Amino acid sequence: MLHLSAEMLAGSLGKNQSTYHAWVQRLQAQGYLHARPHYTTVTARDGQRVTVVNGTLYAIRVEPGHQAHLSYEDLTRSYRDLDADREAGRTAWKVMQQAAQLD
């Protein structure tokens, strides 16, 4: 099981978001992959707690005949402190913004 930024994964593969999503759909349909957004709560600018996507979870089939599957535990586990990451500038949005400036 992996927790990654879909935007950064697409970028690292040198593909746009549409191509990446088409690949994910095809791999899921064939049972090689199970991908779902992962949610967490963060503090908004107005101080309210809001639910946001903090990455994408991927289960990958590694055995023939096995179906890739994310468990309830995978979906409910905490993978990062997004408030701390935002404060430190460790977000996919920030990285992608910086990369766009290099182009």
Side-chain angles (χ1 to χ4, degrees):
M1 200 277 310
L2 302 168
H3 178 268
L4 301 167
S5 159
E7 296 85 359
M8 290 183 68
L9 181 55
S12 70
L13 295 170
K15 301 299 176 188
N16 63 37
Q17 290 289 318
S18 296
T19 300
Y20 157 81
H21 287 293
W23 286 359
V24 167
Q25 288 176 347
R26 288 178 69 191
L27 291 168
Q28 287 193 116
Q30 296 175 9
Y32 291 105
L33 182 72
H34 185 197
R36 297 270 305 268
H38 185 262
Y39 297 91
T40 192
T41 56
V42 295
T43 305
R45 289 188 178 138
D46 64 2
Q48 298 291 316
R49 299 291 289 168
V50 295
T51 301
V52 298
V53 174
N54 72 349
T56 303
L57 296 177
Y58 301 90
I60 302 166
R61 182 172 95 179
V62 294
E63 296 177 23
H66 174 70
Q67 181 82 16
H69 177 72
L70 291 165
S71 69
Y72 176 78
E73 290 78 21
D74 294 333
L75 296 169
T76 57
R77 180 176 167 218
S78 177
Y79 294 93
R80 65 189 290 198
D81 180 342
L82 189 53
D83 281 328
D85 287 348
R86 287 169 58 201
E87 188 173 318
R90 290 186 307 255
T91 63
W93 182 84
K94 181 82 164 183
V95 170
M96 298 302 282
Q97 191 177 46
Q98 291 170 343
Q101 293 174 356
L102 297 175
D103 287 339

